Amino acid sequence: MSHNTIAINQRMNKFDGHKSVWLFGYGSLIFKADFPYLDRRPAHIGGWSRRFWQGSHDHRGTETAPGRVVTLVPDAGALCHGMAYLVTPEEFAHLDHREKNGYLRLATEMHFDDGSSDEGIVYIATHENEAYLGPADEIDIARQIATARGPSGPNSEYLLGLAQALRELGKPDPHVFALERHLADFGVTQLRA
Ligand code: BEZ
C-alpha cells in the first residue's frame, strides 16, 4: 500500500450523516489536539496494544532517517488507554491529511470511564503500509528515537510527551515507559516546554 492513505480514508462512509463522531487518540493526540472538538474524555479500546512500530518520515523524521511513532497492533485481551475526542465529521479531512503516512481509519467501540461506550474512529497503521518498520529491540527503537528529527520536531519530544501524558492520565504503558528509560540512558530526558 502506498504511503498516502488520504483517498482510501475518504472513501470510509460509515459515519456519513452523523453530526459528530468520536475519535480515539492513543499517540500525540492524547496531549496535542490541533483541531476543534466538542468533548474530550479519557477512554480505552479493547484488543489492541500501542507500539512504536510505525516509521515517520514526514513528522518526526526524514526520508533518509525516519523516526518512529505509535500504531496499534492486535493483542487479544489487551486494553489501550487514550483520549477520545468528539468532533464534527469535517475534522476527518484534516486528520486524514495529517496522518497520511500509512494510517487508515477503523471503526471501533470505545469505552469511557463512566462505563458508557460509543462507536467511533481510530487511525491505525498496519504492517501493510510502506512506512511500517515493525518490531525491534526496545533499546534499538529508543536509539533511533533519540537521534531522529523531522518537520514536527525531535522524535524524542514525541516519546517524552506521550509518556508524560500517560502518567498524567494514570495509565502506565510498559512499552512506552521502557523506551523512555532507554532514552534517558542515551542522555535524552528533557521535555521542552
Ligand atoms: C494519535 O495520536 O492517537 C494518532 C495516532 C496515529 C494516527 C492518528 C492519531
Side-chain angles (χ1 to χ4, degrees):
M1 186 193 306
S2 89
H3 287 322
N4 195 322
T5 47
I6 294 176
I8 302 170
N9 280 327
Q10 289 183 350
R11 285 199 289 273
M12 190 212 209
N13 56 11
K14 183 172 172 64
F15 296 97
D16 280 5
H18 288 227
K19 287 198 171 64
S20 57
V21 183
W22 284 104
L23 163 71
F24 181 73
Y26 57 94
S28 60
L29 283 186
I30 298 180
F31 58 96
K32 184 175 157 229
D34 57 352
F35 49 82
Y37 52 86
L38 308 166
D39 194 4
R40 174 185 194 263
R41 295 189 201 168
H44 67 268
I45 62 175
W48 298 95
S49 283
R50 181 175 15 236
R51 292 287 180 269
F52 272 81
W53 289 1
Q54 173 69 359
S56 175
H57 56 255
D58 57 349
H59 286 298
R60 297 291 179 170
T62 62
E63 284 287 350
T64 50
R68 277 184 178 256
V69 291
V70 287
T71 185
L72 295 179
V73 296
D75 190 359
L79 300 181
C80 178
H81 292 273
M83 189 63 75
Y85 294 87
L86 187 64
V87 298
T88 59
E90 297 80 65
E91 291 315 316
F92 288 99
H94 161 76
L95 287 157
D96 289 344
H97 188 264
R98 177 179 129 166
E99 306 301 344
K100 63 184 183 298
N101 187 17
Y103 288 91
L104 292 172
R105 296 185 199 177
L106 182 78
T108 186
E109 192 73 9
M110 49 196 90
H111 305 271
F112 305 109
D113 288 354
D114 64 1
S116 66
S117 63
D118 204 351
E119 200 177 23
I121 288 177
V122 62
Y123 284 82
I124 294 179
T126 74
H127 65 280
E128 288 179 314
N129 84 88
E130 285 176 9
Y132 187 76
L133 294 176
D137 240 46
E138 285 178 336
I139 291 185
D140 295 329
I141 293 179
R143 187 179 292 112
Q144 184 174 353
I145 292 173
T147 53
R149 151 188 299 270
S152 300
N155 202 174
S156 56
E157 184 181 75
Y158 174 101
L159 167 58
L160 295 174
L162 178 57
Q164 181 170 302
L166 289 168
R167 257 191 301 278
E168 284 168 9
L169 268 182
K171 300 297 181 192
D173 181 317
H175 173 66
V176 176
F177 286 8
L179 294 177
E180 185 190 37
R181 282 194 302 276
H182 291 312
L183 204 62
D185 293 340
F186 294 125
V188 186
T189 53
Q190 281 303 308
L191 188 61
R192 285 192 307 245

